[in-house]
Amino acid sequence: MRMGMALWCSRKQTFFYGGGALLVVFLILALGYLTPRKFSRYSQEICTHTIYLSGNWFHSSLILPAETDQFDWRTDLNFQDLG
């Protein structure tokens, strides 16, 4: 009698842990499926500004023009103090 009860508890535990593992796998797959892949809309206008990217494996820097048709950074920033 004792042996049969131990076998039953073992089967119950196996079912419980196996079901829990399947639930975790399902939740991870559902999270990956429901995560948005496109965070913003792409512009339909043609961009005429040149933007450069510089950096190494750890840090990246965007190099932007100081003056564009819409904005002139030289009026707001003192470039002598930056570098």
Side-chain angles (χ1 to χ4, degrees):
M1 185 74 162
R2 199 115 166 102
M3 182 71 153
M5 186 62 128
L7 187 59
W8 171 248
C9 289
S10 176
R11 286 183 187 163
K12 233 176 20 176
Q13 287 175 346
T14 302
F15 178 74
F16 178 73
Y17 289 126
L22 284 175
L23 181 65
V24 168
V25 168
F26 176 75
L27 289 175
I28 289 172
L29 290 174
L31 182 66
Y33 179 76
L34 297 173
T35 301
R37 286 160 187 79
K38 183 176 162 184
F39 294 105
S40 65
R41 294 180 180 232
Y42 295 108
S43 174
Q44 300 298 322
E45 300 175 11
I46 296 174
C47 182
T48 58
H49 305 299
T50 303
I51 299 174
Y52 297 100
L53 180 65
S54 173
N56 55 24
W57 63 273
F58 186 72
H59 180 75
S60 297
S61 299
L62 290 175
I63 303 170
L64 306 170
E67 179 185 3
T68 64
D69 295 336
Q70 292 85 16
F71 197 78
D72 185 6
W73 283 105
R74 293 177 288 191
T75 58
D76 293 330
L77 295 174
N78 185 359
F79 289 112
Q80 301 298 324
D81 294 339
L82 291 178

CSV table of all heavy atoms in Angstrom, one decimal, residues 19-51:
chain,number,residue,atom,x,y,z
A,19,GLY,N,3.6,20.5,-16.1
A,19,GLY,CA,2.6,21.4,-16.5
A,19,GLY,C,3.0,22.9,-16.3
A,19,GLY,O,2.8,23.8,-17.1
A,20,GLY,N,3.7,23.1,-15.2
A,20,GLY,CA,4.3,24.4,-14.9
A,20,GLY,C,5.3,24.8,-15.9
A,20,GLY,O,5.4,25.9,-16.3
A,21,ALA,N,6.2,23.9,-16.3
A,21,ALA,CA,7.2,24.1,-17.3
A,21,ALA,C,6.6,24.5,-18.6
A,21,ALA,O,7.0,25.4,-19.3
A,21,ALA,CB,8.2,23.0,-17.4
A,22,LEU,N,5.5,23.7,-19.0
A,22,LEU,CA,4.9,24.0,-20.3
A,22,LEU,C,4.2,25.4,-20.2
A,22,LEU,O,4.2,26.1,-21.2
A,22,LEU,CB,3.8,22.9,-20.6
A,22,LEU,CG,4.4,21.6,-21.1
A,22,LEU,CD1,3.2,20.6,-21.2
A,22,LEU,CD2,5.1,21.8,-22.4
A,23,LEU,N,3.6,25.7,-19.1
A,23,LEU,CA,3.0,27.0,-19.0
A,23,LEU,C,4.0,28.2,-19.1
A,23,LEU,O,3.8,29.2,-19.8
A,23,LEU,CB,2.3,27.1,-17.6
A,23,LEU,CG,1.6,28.5,-17.3
A,23,LEU,CD1,0.4,28.7,-18.3
A,23,LEU,CD2,1.1,28.5,-15.9
A,24,VAL,N,5.2,28.0,-18.5
A,24,VAL,CA,6.2,29.0,-18.6
A,24,VAL,C,6.7,29.2,-20.1
A,24,VAL,O,6.9,30.3,-20.6
A,24,VAL,CB,7.4,28.7,-17.7
A,24,VAL,CG1,8.6,29.5,-18.0
A,24,VAL,CG2,7.0,28.8,-16.2
A,25,VAL,N,6.9,28.0,-20.7
A,25,VAL,CA,7.3,28.1,-22.2
A,25,VAL,C,6.2,28.8,-23.0
A,25,VAL,O,6.5,29.6,-23.8
A,25,VAL,CB,7.6,26.6,-22.7
A,25,VAL,CG1,7.7,26.6,-24.2
A,25,VAL,CG2,8.8,26.1,-22.0
A,26,PHE,N,5.0,28.4,-22.7
A,26,PHE,CA,3.9,29.1,-23.5
A,26,PHE,C,3.8,30.6,-23.2
A,26,PHE,O,3.7,31.4,-24.2
A,26,PHE,CB,2.5,28.4,-23.1
A,26,PHE,CG,1.4,29.1,-23.7
A,26,PHE,CD1,1.1,28.9,-25.1
A,26,PHE,CD2,0.6,30.0,-23.0
A,26,PHE,CE1,0.0,29.6,-25.6
A,26,PHE,CE2,-0.5,30.6,-23.6
A,26,PHE,CZ,-0.8,30.4,-24.9
A,27,LEU,N,4.0,31.0,-22.0
A,27,LEU,CA,4.0,32.4,-21.7
A,27,LEU,C,5.2,33.2,-22.3
A,27,LEU,O,5.0,34.3,-22.8
A,27,LEU,CB,4.0,32.7,-20.2
A,27,LEU,CG,2.8,32.3,-19.4
A,27,LEU,CD1,2.9,32.4,-17.9
A,27,LEU,CD2,1.6,33.1,-19.9
A,28,ILE,N,6.3,32.6,-22.4
A,28,ILE,CA,7.5,33.2,-23.0
A,28,ILE,C,7.2,33.3,-24.5
A,28,ILE,O,7.5,34.4,-25.1
A,28,ILE,CB,8.8,32.4,-22.8
A,28,ILE,CG1,9.2,32.6,-21.3
A,28,ILE,CG2,9.9,32.8,-23.7
A,28,ILE,CD1,10.3,31.7,-20.8
A,29,LEU,N,6.7,32.3,-25.2
A,29,LEU,CA,6.4,32.4,-26.6
A,29,LEU,C,5.3,33.4,-26.9
A,29,LEU,O,5.4,34.1,-27.8
A,29,LEU,CB,6.0,31.0,-27.1
A,29,LEU,CG,7.1,29.9,-27.2
A,29,LEU,CD1,6.5,28.6,-27.6
A,29,LEU,CD2,8.1,30.4,-28.1
A,30,ALA,N,4.3,33.5,-26.0
A,30,ALA,CA,3.2,34.4,-26.2
A,30,ALA,C,3.8,35.9,-26.0
A,30,ALA,O,3.4,36.8,-26.8
A,30,ALA,CB,2.1,34.2,-25.2
A,31,LEU,N,4.6,36.1,-25.1
A,31,LEU,CA,5.2,37.4,-24.9
A,31,LEU,C,6.0,37.8,-26.1
A,31,LEU,O,6.0,38.9,-26.6
A,31,LEU,CB,6.1,37.4,-23.7
A,31,LEU,CG,6.8,38.7,-23.3
A,31,LEU,CD1,5.7,39.8,-22.9
A,31,LEU,CD2,7.7,38.6,-22.2
A,32,GLY,N,6.8,36.9,-26.7
A,32,GLY,CA,7.6,37.2,-27.9
A,32,GLY,C,6.7,37.4,-29.1
A,32,GLY,O,7.0,38.3,-29.9
A,33,TYR,N,5.6,36.7,-29.2
A,33,TYR,CA,4.6,36.9,-30.3
A,33,TYR,C,3.9,38.3,-30.2
A,33,TYR,O,3.7,39.0,-31.2
A,33,TYR,CB,3.6,35.8,-30.3
A,33,TYR,CG,2.6,36.0,-31.4
A,33,TYR,CD1,2.9,35.7,-32.7
A,33,TYR,CD2,1.3,36.4,-31.1
A,33,TYR,CE1,2.0,35.8,-33.7
A,33,TYR,CE2,0.4,36.5,-32.1
A,33,TYR,CZ,0.7,36.2,-33.4
A,33,TYR,OH,-0.2,36.4,-34.4
A,34,LEU,N,3.6,38.7,-29.0
A,34,LEU,CA,2.8,39.9,-28.8
A,34,LEU,C,3.6,41.2,-28.6
A,34,LEU,O,3.1,42.3,-28.6
A,34,LEU,CB,1.9,39.8,-27.5
A,34,LEU,CG,0.9,38.7,-27.6
A,34,LEU,CD1,0.2,38.5,-26.3
A,34,LEU,CD2,-0.1,38.9,-28.7
A,35,THR,N,4.9,41.1,-28.6
A,35,THR,CA,5.8,42.2,-28.5
A,35,THR,C,5.9,43.0,-29.8
A,35,THR,O,6.1,42.3,-30.8
A,35,THR,CB,7.2,41.8,-28.1
A,35,THR,OG1,7.2,41.1,-26.8
A,35,THR,CG2,8.1,43.0,-27.9
A,36,PRO,N,5.6,44.3,-29.8
A,36,PRO,CA,5.6,45.0,-31.1
A,36,PRO,C,7.0,45.0,-31.7
A,36,PRO,O,8.0,45.2,-30.9
A,36,PRO,CB,5.1,46.4,-30.7
A,36,PRO,CG,5.3,46.5,-29.3
A,36,PRO,CD,5.3,45.1,-28.7
A,37,ARG,N,7.1,44.9,-33.0
A,37,ARG,CA,8.4,44.9,-33.6
A,37,ARG,C,8.7,46.3,-34.3
A,37,ARG,O,9.9,46.6,-34.6
A,37,ARG,CB,8.5,43.8,-34.7
A,37,ARG,CG,8.6,42.5,-34.0
A,37,ARG,CD,8.2,41.4,-35.0
A,37,ARG,NE,8.1,40.1,-34.4
A,37,ARG,CZ,7.2,39.7,-33.6
A,37,ARG,NH1,6.2,40.5,-33.3
A,37,ARG,NH2,7.2,38.5,-33.1
A,38,LYS,N,7.8,47.1,-34.5
A,38,LYS,CA,7.9,48.4,-35.2
A,38,LYS,C,7.4,49.4,-34.2
A,38,LYS,O,6.2,49.5,-33.9
A,38,LYS,CB,7.2,48.4,-36.5
A,38,LYS,CG,7.3,49.6,-37.3
A,38,LYS,CD,6.6,49.5,-38.6
A,38,LYS,CE,6.3,50.8,-39.2
A,38,LYS,NZ,5.5,50.7,-40.4
A,39,PHE,N,8.3,50.2,-33.6
A,39,PHE,CA,8.0,51.1,-32.5
A,39,PHE,C,7.5,52.5,-33.0
A,39,PHE,O,6.9,53.2,-32.3
A,39,PHE,CB,9.1,51.3,-31.6
A,39,PHE,CG,9.4,50.0,-30.9
A,39,PHE,CD1,10.5,49.3,-31.2
A,39,PHE,CD2,8.6,49.5,-29.9
A,39,PHE,CE1,10.8,48.1,-30.6
A,39,PHE,CE2,8.9,48.4,-29.2
A,39,PHE,CZ,10.0,47.6,-29.6
A,40,SER,N,7.7,52.8,-34.3
A,40,SER,CA,7.3,54.1,-34.8
A,40,SER,C,7.0,54.0,-36.3
A,40,SER,O,7.5,53.0,-36.9
A,40,SER,CB,8.3,55.2,-34.5
A,40,SER,OG,9.5,54.9,-35.2
A,41,ARG,N,6.4,54.9,-36.8
A,41,ARG,CA,6.1,55.0,-38.2
A,41,ARG,C,7.3,55.5,-39.0
A,41,ARG,O,8.0,56.4,-38.5
A,41,ARG,CB,4.9,55.8,-38.6
A,41,ARG,CG,3.6,55.2,-38.0
A,41,ARG,CD,2.4,56.1,-38.3
A,41,ARG,NE,1.3,55.5,-37.8
A,41,ARG,CZ,0.2,55.2,-38.5
A,41,ARG,NH1,0.1,55.6,-39.7
A,41,ARG,NH2,-0.9,54.7,-37.9
A,42,TYR,N,7.5,55.0,-40.2
A,42,TYR,CA,8.6,55.5,-41.0
A,42,TYR,C,8.1,56.7,-41.7
A,42,TYR,O,7.0,56.8,-42.2
A,42,TYR,CB,9.1,54.4,-42.0
A,42,TYR,CG,9.7,53.3,-41.3
A,42,TYR,CD1,9.0,52.0,-41.3
A,42,TYR,CD2,10.9,53.4,-40.7
A,42,TYR,CE1,9.6,51.0,-40.6
A,42,TYR,CE2,11.5,52.3,-40.1
A,42,TYR,CZ,10.9,51.1,-40.0
A,42,TYR,OH,11.4,50.0,-39.4
A,43,SER,N,9.0,57.7,-41.9
A,43,SER,CA,8.7,58.9,-42.6
A,43,SER,C,8.5,58.7,-44.1
A,43,SER,O,9.3,57.9,-44.7
A,43,SER,CB,9.8,60.0,-42.3
A,43,SER,OG,9.5,61.1,-43.1
A,44,GLN,N,7.5,59.3,-44.7
A,44,GLN,CA,7.3,59.1,-46.1
A,44,GLN,C,8.1,60.2,-46.9
A,44,GLN,O,8.2,60.1,-48.1
A,44,GLN,CB,5.8,59.2,-46.4
A,44,GLN,CG,5.0,58.2,-45.7
A,44,GLN,CD,5.4,56.8,-46.2
A,44,GLN,OE1,5.7,56.5,-47.3
A,44,GLN,NE2,5.4,55.8,-45.2
A,45,GLU,N,8.6,61.2,-46.2
A,45,GLU,CA,9.4,62.3,-46.9
A,45,GLU,C,10.8,61.8,-47.1
A,45,GLU,O,11.4,61.1,-46.3
A,45,GLU,CB,9.3,63.5,-46.0
A,45,GLU,CG,7.9,64.0,-45.7
A,45,GLU,CD,8.0,65.2,-44.8
A,45,GLU,OE1,9.0,65.7,-44.5
A,45,GLU,OE2,6.9,65.6,-44.3
A,46,ILE,N,11.4,62.4,-48.1
A,46,ILE,CA,12.8,62.1,-48.4
A,46,ILE,C,13.7,63.0,-47.5
A,46,ILE,O,13.5,64.2,-47.5
A,46,ILE,CB,13.1,62.4,-49.9
A,46,ILE,CG1,12.3,61.4,-50.8
A,46,ILE,CG2,14.6,62.2,-50.2
A,46,ILE,CD1,12.4,61.7,-52.2
A,47,CYS,N,14.6,62.4,-46.8
A,47,CYS,CA,15.5,63.2,-45.9
A,47,CYS,C,16.7,63.7,-46.7
A,47,CYS,O,17.3,62.9,-47.4
A,47,CYS,CB,15.9,62.3,-44.7
A,47,CYS,SG,16.9,63.1,-43.6
A,48,THR,N,16.9,65.0,-46.6
A,48,THR,CA,18.1,65.5,-47.3
A,48,THR,C,19.2,65.8,-46.4
A,48,THR,O,20.2,66.4,-46.9
A,48,THR,CB,17.6,66.8,-48.0
A,48,THR,OG1,17.1,67.7,-47.0
A,48,THR,CG2,16.5,66.6,-49.0
A,49,HIS,N,19.2,65.5,-45.1
A,49,HIS,CA,20.3,65.8,-44.2
A,49,HIS,C,21.2,64.6,-44.2
A,49,HIS,O,20.8,63.4,-44.2
A,49,HIS,CB,19.7,66.0,-42.8
A,49,HIS,CG,18.7,67.1,-42.7
A,49,HIS,ND1,19.0,68.4,-43.1
A,49,HIS,CD2,17.4,67.1,-42.4
A,49,HIS,CE1,17.9,69.1,-43.0
A,49,HIS,NE2,16.9,68.4,-42.5
A,50,THR,N,22.5,64.9,-44.1
A,50,THR,CA,23.5,63.9,-43.9
A,50,THR,C,23.8,63.6,-42.5
A,50,THR,O,24.1,64.6,-41.7
A,50,THR,CB,24.8,64.3,-44.6
A,50,THR,OG1,24.5,64.6,-46.0
A,50,THR,CG2,25.8,63.2,-44.6
A,51,ILE,N,23.7,62.4,-42.0
A,51,ILE,CA,23.9,62.0,-40.7
A,51,ILE,C,25.0,60.9,-40.7
A,51,ILE,O,24.9,59.9,-41.4
A,51,ILE,CB,22.7,61.5,-40.0
A,51,ILE,CG1,21.6,62.6,-40.0
A,51,ILE,CG2,22.9,61.0,-38.6
A,51,ILE,CD1,20.3,62.2,-39.4
